[in-house]
Amino acid sequence: MLALVVAAVVALLGAGGHTPAAPAAPAVVPAAAPAPAASAPAAPAGIADRAACPPEVVACVDLRTRQSWLQRDGAVVYGPVPFLPGDETGRVPPGPTSSATPTGLFHVGRKNADQVSSEFDEPMPHAVFFAPGGIAFHQGSLAGSSHGCVHLDAAAATAYFDHLRRGDEVLVFS
């Protein structure tokens, strides 16, 4: 629009202001720049190192930040949520006599909504077992210690139980 006005003023001034100029040709307006190509979805707020968890992994557990999330094909579908790892995590290596949460790539083996630990006689609601030694995601205290499992609050434990399937990959990293 401004280009049309400027063209009309220049035409009038060029003619000495006495003879109206022929109508100016419509200004050529450059086409809008194409929208940028879609990029990978941004990590939800709070996920410090999403790149550490490959897209084929379904449950990601970051021991350093004590955050976990669920994803499908690299898109986060739940979380991040806080969790409490095993009591000795980061201080002693995981093992049969340690309460450290093990690191590595694991697979969901089984699930039990009403699990009770045979070793500690403790309830493990919405247990999703993924590592040797009975290590599981389950509802538990976010303030008290764990024996190596990944404690989640009630809502997160239910979501993990409902979302995870046998064979799904779980990555625990720090």
Side-chain angles (χ1 to χ4, degrees):
M1 180 73 170
L2 180 61
L4 288 174
V5 172
V6 170
V9 170
V10 168
L12 260 178
L13 291 176
H18 301 290
T19 311
V28 176
V29 178
S39 59
I47 296 180
D49 194 6
R50 180 175 172 193
C53 199
E56 62 275 8
V57 172
V58 180
C60 305
V61 181
D62 185 341
L63 294 173
R64 186 179 56 77
T65 63
R66 292 191 176 190
Q67 291 185 323
S68 180
W69 62 94
L70 298 174
Q71 58 184 26
R72 285 281 176 202
D73 301 318
V76 176
V77 296
Y78 186 82
V81 296
F83 70 88
L84 184 69
D87 184 47
E88 296 177 321
T89 300
R91 295 191 319 239
V92 298
T97 61
S98 166
S99 65
T101 301
T103 57
L105 182 63
F106 305 99
H107 293 85
V108 172
R110 65 184 178 93
K111 299 176 5 175
N112 185 341
D114 301 310
Q115 180 72 33
V116 175
S117 167
S118 58
E119 188 175 352
F120 302 105
D121 196 32
E122 299 268 340
M124 299 170 63
H126 295 101
V128 179
F129 293 90
F130 64 87
I135 303 299
F137 293 109
H138 65 84
Q139 180 181 337
S141 169
L142 295 182
S145 66
S146 154
H147 297 287
C149 289
V150 176
H151 282 183
L152 300 166
D153 68 23
T158 300
Y160 278 53
F161 187 85
D162 291 344
H163 188 84
L164 290 168
R165 298 179 288 230
R166 186 180 176 137
D168 280 347
E169 289 187 342
V170 175
L171 181 64
V172 182
F173 62 95
S174 56

